[in-house]
Amino acid sequence: MTALLSKFEQKLMAGSFVITAEVCPPKGCDCAAFIRHAEALSGMIDAINVTDNQGANMRISPLAASALLLKSGVEPILQLTCRDRNRLAIQSDLLGAAALGIRNVLALTGDHISFGDHKEAKSVFDLDSVQLLECMKSLAAGVDMSGKKLEGTPSFFAGAAAAPEAEPFELTLFKLQKKVAAGAGFFQTQAIFNSGKLARFCEAVAPLGAKTIAGILLLKSAAMAKFINKNIPGLKVPEEIVQELADSADQAATGLAIACRLAREVKPHVNGVHIMAMGREEVIPEIVDAINN
Amino acid sequence: MIISQQKPLADILASLGDSNSVFIVGCAKCATVCKSGGEEEVWQMQEALISSGKSVTGSVIIDEACHMLRVGRDLRGRQQLVDDADASLVMACGAGIQSVSAAIPKKTVAGLDSLFLGNIRRFGQFEQKCSLCGECVLSETAGICPVTACPKGLLNGPCGGMDEGRCEIDAEAECAWAQIFTTVRETGRIANLAESVPPKNYSKIPKPGKLKLK
Ligand code: SF4
Ligand code: SF4
């Protein structure tokens, strides 16, 4: 309802470096630990991404979890996928988000149902991520997807995902352009391991006018890296990183050191860093320190 | 062609339950090509039912079991055998099974699972190329259907799981959008890669579908 910019948005638009992190809401309705984690981070990062049935694993609604964060004074980025909702449900949720004061929305296609814990479910994909962004644009213009006028006009700071290391890059570029044209103001990228490919991405995306927030993945062990490579779409840990972890006597510490190193490496190219701690939120402050110093 | 597969015998027997005598219907078209409900499979099913303690009153292979008039006519021609049976077991696609259930007032058991509309790559190898979406986009996608070839049916390009042109859900499969992109590159065919494609109009495929030629 309010057209006030979110703090995250203001900072990004002012050209300051932002830090975001992903916190997975619970499988269940007890959000105490989730809120505790988010609150602990809120002093040092700009916004928390609330994932939406991530990896097609059923969890509490990201809309509810985002609203709880906002109530605790933590700024959320609501992730919204097209996998579990048709266009009616998507628009309802977006209006709900606006009514609750949630402004930052990351528009996603969503991982395929077959990766998750409800493999027998029917996937929706009534819209794709570009159409979801167009839908947000239309709501923000005061009409729904069928052209009906809304009571109260929502406003969003829309973001989209990007996979800078995916090949063929030119093919992905078409879609990035459509996402920006459809209103994406920022990209949060998949985990970056190759700053050369990130530079290529930034060069291509900068003229489009969207901000880039580079994904940094925190790895705990070589085994985890291998698991990710096998099971998580869009994430690909390069062989040399897996080897570096495998050769280490303290793999968790090495994983943290790698994340800090990558975060420092990408910093000069981008407008912010997005930390995916994969459940080790307690070490995020160390990565933030590495970025800031 | 409609691609179908035989249900496990145990499931068929469970559906037959205490129906002891069975009349079997096969289909001479799709189910024959899929080797799920042709002459040979009907004969094998007859053997399997008999060794499971059932009796088989007779069988018929209908030329297109989806053709309702033909099914009615062919079954009437075998009225006695049909009447003698407690149930009919239909080894045809879901459309064929319902031609039979509409023609015979008795219990009808589905012998096959219907899977998809398929192309024949070579004998015994079928591929889904079209999912009958009601509004064909092939002219804008270099002749490759993303509604079907992409597991998510994405219309605006690849998802974040595509890498090295492979699909996120099957490393053996080429991403639908990578196929379209390569085809455009290699053949100069036209595809609309740059412009946003609006959401699909699902009112074009009302269920149940109906079409009357004028
Ligand atoms: S777009 Fe695809 S699914 Fe739709 S009619 Fe054409 S080939 Fe079939
Ligand atoms: S990788 Fe390509 S084909 Fe596979 S789901 Fe993503 S967009 Fe669709």
Side-chain angles (χ1 to χ4, degrees):
Chain A
M1 304 271 162
T2 103
L4 285 182
L5 304 189
S6 70
K7 278 192 279 169
F8 161 69
E9 178 178 11
Q10 281 173 18
K11 201 166 162 187
L12 200 53
M13 287 311 160
S16 307
F17 196 81
V18 298
I19 302 178
T20 59
E22 183 173 285
V23 181
C24 200
K27 192 179 196 72
C29 56
D30 178 358
C31 288
F34 165 70
I35 293 174
R36 227 178 20 251
H37 276 134
E39 279 177 339
L41 293 172
S42 69
M44 66 193 81
I45 67 174
D46 297 291
I48 301 256
N49 278 61
V50 183
T51 51
D52 179 11
N53 291 339
Q54 191 174 20
N57 293 297
M58 193 285 296
R59 286 174 176 265
I60 195 171
S61 146
L63 177 55
S66 296
L68 289 172
L69 287 191
L70 208 56
K71 216 165 88 183
S72 315
V74 180
E75 182 162 342
I77 299 174
L78 168 65
Q79 299 199 173
L80 208 57
T81 72
C82 301
R83 180 193 52 235
D84 310 325
R85 306 168 177 83
N86 70 4
R87 63 192 85 177
L88 278 78
I90 282 182
Q91 293 178 99
S92 296
D93 279 359
L94 284 166
L95 293 178
L100 290 162
I102 298 161
R103 184 171 158 81
N104 310 314
V105 179
L106 188 72
L108 302 169
T109 298
D111 299 329
H112 195 263
I113 290 271
S114 58
F115 290 102
D117 61 0
H118 283 65
K119 295 193 198 320
E120 296 178 351
K122 181 175 188 192
S123 53
V124 182
F125 300 116
D126 186 20
L127 305 182
D128 62 27
S129 52
V130 172
Q131 295 158 350
L132 168 53
L133 287 161
E134 296 281 6
C135 155
M136 289 165 68
K137 203 199 237 178
S138 147
L139 294 179
V143 287
D144 71 8
M145 289 180 71
S146 68
K148 299 252 161 55
K149 208 169 165 307
L150 302 174
E151 223 169 283
T153 300
S155 81
F156 303 106
F157 184 38
E165 299 189 358
E167 301 291 349
F169 178 64
E170 295 143 280
L171 171 58
T172 66
L173 189 55
F174 281 115
K175 195 163 186 183
L176 297 172
Q177 285 159 342
K178 293 191 212 182
K179 285 178 174 179
V180 178
F186 66 96
F187 284 115
Q188 285 182 307
T189 79
Q190 270 305 2
I192 300 296
F193 292 101
N194 178 327
S195 44
K197 287 197 176 180
L198 180 66
R200 167 185 75 175
F201 173 84
C202 292
E203 198 181 317
V205 163
L208 304 177
K211 306 283 184 186
T212 296
I213 303 173
I216 295 296
L217 182 67
L218 178 62
L219 293 163
K220 194 162 65 187
S221 60
M224 178 195 185
K226 285 184 191 149
F227 176 85
I228 285 175
N229 283 348
K230 210 164 145 220
N231 297 293
I232 303 192
L235 286 181
K236 200 175 61 184
V237 184
E239 196 39 49
E240 59 274 17
I241 299 269
V242 180
Q243 203 51 51
E244 189 178 343
L245 285 164
D247 292 344
S248 159
D250 184 348
Q251 299 200 4
T254 304
L256 177 58
I258 292 171
C260 292
R261 185 177 78 211
L262 288 167
R264 276 192 302 263
E265 239 172 74
V266 302
K267 191 180 175 187
H269 299 288
V270 291
N271 308 100
V273 160
H274 175 60
I275 303 166
M276 294 173 268
M278 312 296 273
R280 282 169 77 204
E281 282 78 22
E282 69 283 357
V283 302
I284 289 181
E286 297 184 46
I287 306 177
V288 172
D289 271 346
I291 297 167
N292 290 335
N293 303 309
Chain B
M1 187 175 68
I2 305 300
I3 309 306
S4 61
Q5 212 169 30
Q6 229 175 73
K7 283 180 179 286
L9 182 63
D11 291 4
I12 293 174
L13 288 172
S15 301
L16 283 170
D18 54 12
S19 303
N20 288 320
S21 52
V22 184
F23 182 79
I24 308 177
V25 181
C27 175
K29 287 286 174 350
C30 306
T32 293
V33 180
C34 292
K35 290 188 133 321
S36 56
E39 189 102 44
E40 197 181 326
E41 294 74 40
V42 166
W43 183 79
Q44 284 164 350
M45 180 58 69
Q46 177 169 332
E47 298 292 296
L49 290 180
I50 290 168
S51 28
S52 309
K54 304 283 181 196
S55 70
V56 175
T57 62
S59 65
V60 63
I61 311 292
I62 296 171
D63 190 33
E64 286 174 341
C66 53
H67 194 310
M68 298 182 82
L69 286 177
R70 193 169 294 160
V71 168
R73 191 193 61 206
D74 286 7
L75 290 176
R76 274 196 303 280
R78 290 161 182 79
Q79 195 72 49
Q80 197 54 52
L81 303 174
V82 172
D83 286 349
D84 286 348
D86 300 325
S88 46
L89 168 63
V90 190
M91 298 171 68
C93 72
I97 297 167
Q98 293 183 73
S99 302
V100 175
S101 72
I104 307 178
K106 285 189 190 170
K107 176 169 172 180
T108 306
V109 168
L112 310 185
D113 288 317
S114 305
L115 304 176
F116 53 88
L117 166 66
N119 291 39
I120 305 169
R121 166 74 60 187
R122 58 178 74 88
F123 185 70
Q125 193 181 331
F126 310 106
E127 289 169 16
Q128 187 179 17
K129 299 276 182 196
C130 169
S131 31
L132 309 175
C133 77
E135 199 177 28
C136 195
V137 302
L138 286 171
S139 322
E140 286 86 53
T141 55
I144 293 159
C145 171
V147 177
T148 307
C150 167
K152 302 176 187 173
L154 302 183
L155 296 177
N156 274 298
C159 73
M162 185 272 298
D163 194 30
E164 305 295 347
R166 302 275 116 192
C167 174
E168 79 168 23
I169 82 142
D170 179 2
E172 305 287 302
E174 199 180 352
C175 165
W177 282 97
Q179 291 178 44
I180 294 170
F181 186 63
T182 320
T183 305
V184 168
R185 281 273 159 103
E186 287 173 0
T187 65
R189 270 193 218 164
I190 304 297
N192 177 11
L193 292 167
E195 268 160 60
S196 273
V197 177
K200 240 183 145 29
N201 178 0
Y202 286 95
S203 73
K204 294 265 184 180
I205 31 167
K207 221 163 86 176
K210 284 198 178 86
L211 174 67
K212 256 190 196 158
L213 298 180
K214 298 207 178 76

